[in-house]
Amino acid sequence: MVSQTESSLNALFDGETDSPPIAPLGTRVGAPSLRWGAPTARERGPIVATHGNRGHRNVIGTHAGGYSVYRALAIAAGSLPRGHRPDLTDTAPSDRIGPHPQWCDPAKIVSLDPWGHLVGEAFPDYLALGHDIRPTIAVTRAHIDMPEIRGAIAAGRIRADGDIVSADGNVRVMKAAIDPVWYLPGVAARFGVTEKALRRDLHEQTGGMYPDLVKREDLKVFLPPIGGMTIYVFGNPGKLGDGKTPLACRVHDECNGSDVFGSDICTCRPYLAHGIEICIEMAQQGGTGVVVYNRKEGRALGEVTKFLVYNARKRQAEGDRPETYFKRTECVAGVQDMRFQELMPDVLHWLGVTRIDRFASMSDMKHDALVRQGIEIGERVAIPDGMIPADARVEIEAKLAAGYYGGNGRAPAEAVGRKLDE
Ligand SMILES: [Zn+2]
């Protein structure tokens, strides 16, 4: 006896749809067409990535990035109904973002859906026809509280103004979570490869998880199973992209060990805290600040690789030194870095940003990627020396010697990190 679930799964594997088209609505049961970079949301068309009605799908992949696997587990475990549709009552953005002219340039934004937070207002007719259109961006507000910011207040570098910074040291922000939505021809162009080659490698390296990458060349949009990003905005978000309000910005790539746990082998959390301080300072001067937090753990190599590299660095006979810092990563991972900043500027295009007045970063990769995308950068702000933990001197000296901003290509200064058991 085959259960109903098994029979519907068998139908799926046999190439049939797992649910019939929404027949009563009649007129538009097919997948909405997509024209990336079109002048309006209506002409662009909605992203439909759910499995509720497979006939409506117009993309490869599904919502929630890597978390889609947990959704599958929840359905398999019987705790989530297969056909659940979210009730989006009162989930609309807390603040208005866009539309900005960059949204209608198919070359400027290729890795997120600029209309992803506005699905309710952008596609009412499709929603009325029963299409399951889900937000890929959520915009909300928060208060953040960090010991470093309290320290900056105590040191007199930031003041509690009762607006951006409260008397008890909380900082008011707008934040947005953004899931990746890749327009494959645009992503391929950013990396200077053919769309076909990109599709083939995505297909292979995900273990054939998405056959449509190679079978359905008519589907141009892919929701990849990776983490997205979060942005934190300081000051009035309504001023973003107005072309006149000065902007401070930190683009930060995730490092859980340092960012959350304060691990001292790298400068990640100090740089994040410094970037937030620069953003608050700019907001208090009437500007705005944006921190972009990309889920690209350990230079997008992941924590397992990162920790293997830590061991390799610390066990070298000559000690953990700047001269071999990048080499040890390359030995384990095959590359020094997989973050590839090519797609990073998209989020700033989404915010309408054309100029960053104070850029809190020493990375030439980030700087050059922004400039290549037509975003002007005024001042580059290096991390103050006093904020660098002793064990992280190896990293910072290696980066300076490799030509990061602030180093002027100088030879690495003498620095030896702790041994593994110290
Ligand atoms: Zn780190």
Side-chain angles (χ1 to χ4, degrees):
M1 179 88 189
V2 178
S3 74
Q4 199 181 354
T5 305
E6 279 174 59
S7 88
S8 70
L9 277 178
N10 288 338
L12 192 59
F13 290 128
D14 292 344
E16 294 171 29
T17 57
D18 57 348
S19 59
I22 302 173
L25 294 161
T27 51
R28 296 173 81 169
V29 291
S33 65
L34 280 178
R35 186 156 70 87
W36 199 261
T40 63
R42 240 197 99 65
E43 291 164 272
R44 206 293 303 275
I47 301 287
V48 184
T50 62
H51 292 270
N53 184 331
R54 297 182 65 81
H56 285 175
R57 284 171 54 79
N58 57 10
V59 300
I60 304 163
T62 183
H63 285 292
Y67 294 107
S68 58
V69 177
Y70 283 104
R71 190 172 61 235
L73 272 181
I75 291 171
S79 53
L80 176 67
R82 188 172 296 275
H84 170 76
R85 284 178 71 156
D87 174 359
L88 296 173
T89 307
D90 288 338
T91 61
S94 62
D95 295 87
R96 183 83 204 178
I97 303 287
H100 293 291
Q102 290 92 328
W103 294 18
C104 310
D105 181 339
K108 282 235 184 304
I109 297 178
V110 301
S111 62
L112 59 88
D113 174 9
W115 306 98
H117 56 316
L118 298 175
V119 297
E121 76 177 75
F123 307 111
D125 45 352
Y126 283 105
L127 290 165
L129 284 165
H131 289 268
D132 184 3
I133 307 166
R134 303 190 182 184
T136 55
I137 299 177
V139 183
T140 188
R141 290 198 175 186
H143 288 195
I144 63 171
D145 182 358
M146 293 173 69
E148 291 91 338
I149 300 306
R150 288 176 178 276
I153 296 169
R157 298 196 303 274
I158 286 176
R159 66 199 152 79
D161 55 12
D163 176 22
I164 295 159
V165 181
S166 73
D168 60 0
N170 277 335
V171 184
R172 292 175 56 210
V173 296
M174 182 210 89
K175 62 179 181 178
I178 302 164
D179 276 342
V181 177
W182 287 7
Y183 175 58
L184 291 169
V187 172
R190 251 342 133 79
F191 285 87
V193 298
T194 64
E195 185 189 335
K196 200 176 180 69
L198 175 67
R199 283 172 176 265
R200 186 196 59 221
D201 289 334
L202 285 169
H203 176 63
E204 273 181 22
Q205 295 302 315
T206 52
M209 202 172 179
Y210 303 97
D212 283 350
L213 281 167
V214 287
K215 283 186 183 166
R216 294 285 308 270
E217 286 190 26
D218 58 316
L219 298 178
K220 297 294 183 188
V221 174
F222 175 44
L223 275 56
I226 55 173
M229 74 197 84
T230 313
I231 60 163
Y232 284 79
V233 176
F234 303 81
N236 181 355
K239 291 180 174 177
L240 284 167
D242 68 2
K244 55 186 184 203
T245 304
L247 175 73
C249 180
R250 161 83 188 152
V251 175
H252 192 87
D253 295 325
E254 179 177 25
C255 171
N256 182 271
S258 172
D259 293 344
V260 178
F261 291 94
S263 167
D264 69 346
I265 194 172
C266 57
T267 49
C268 300
R269 180 168 171 117
Y271 228 132
L272 178 62
H274 176 62
I276 290 171
E277 186 177 327
I278 299 278
C279 286
I280 295 171
E281 189 182 70
M282 183 64 96
Q284 291 191 323
Q285 291 166 359
T288 50
V290 175
V291 171
V292 180
Y293 193 88
N294 288 307
R295 293 306 190 303
K296 291 182 187 171
E297 174 61 54
R299 295 194 205 138
L301 302 168
E303 268 200 328
V304 170
T305 298
K306 184 157 94 169
F307 291 4
L308 294 173
V309 172
Y310 288 165
N311 282 350
R313 279 173 54 189
K314 301 274 177 199
R315 284 187 176 130
Q316 294 172 106
E318 62 279 17
D320 181 20
R321 291 174 186 275
E323 304 88 278
T324 53
Y325 170 83
F326 286 112
K327 191 163 172 271
R328 291 266 67 88
T329 307
E330 210 170 335
C331 286
V332 179
V335 291
Q336 293 183 0
D337 199 311
M338 279 194 204
R339 284 175 292 177
F340 301 110
Q341 301 294 343
E342 279 78 358
L343 304 177
M344 173 271 286
D346 288 18
V347 67
L348 293 157
H349 287 320
W350 179 62
L351 294 169
V353 169
T354 53
R355 177 184 160 82
I356 296 169
D357 296 85
R358 301 198 80 204
F359 185 51
S361 171
M362 291 163 67
S363 163
D364 284 346
M365 281 172 70
K366 291 175 186 170
H367 171 274
D368 296 351
L370 289 163
V371 171
R372 269 199 302 274
Q373 279 296 305
I375 294 172
E376 202 184 326
I377 292 186
E379 184 192 355
R380 297 173 73 177
V381 188
I383 189 166
D385 235 30
M387 292 179 79
I388 300 169
D391 199 43
R393 283 245 64 102
V394 175
E395 177 197 277
I396 206 91
E397 290 300 336
K399 286 182 170 177
L400 289 170
Y404 272 55
Y405 175 74
N408 302 318
R410 67 170 160 89
E414 184 64 20
V416 186
R418 273 197 320 269
K419 289 192 169 56
L420 200 54
D421 55 357
E422 283 180 329

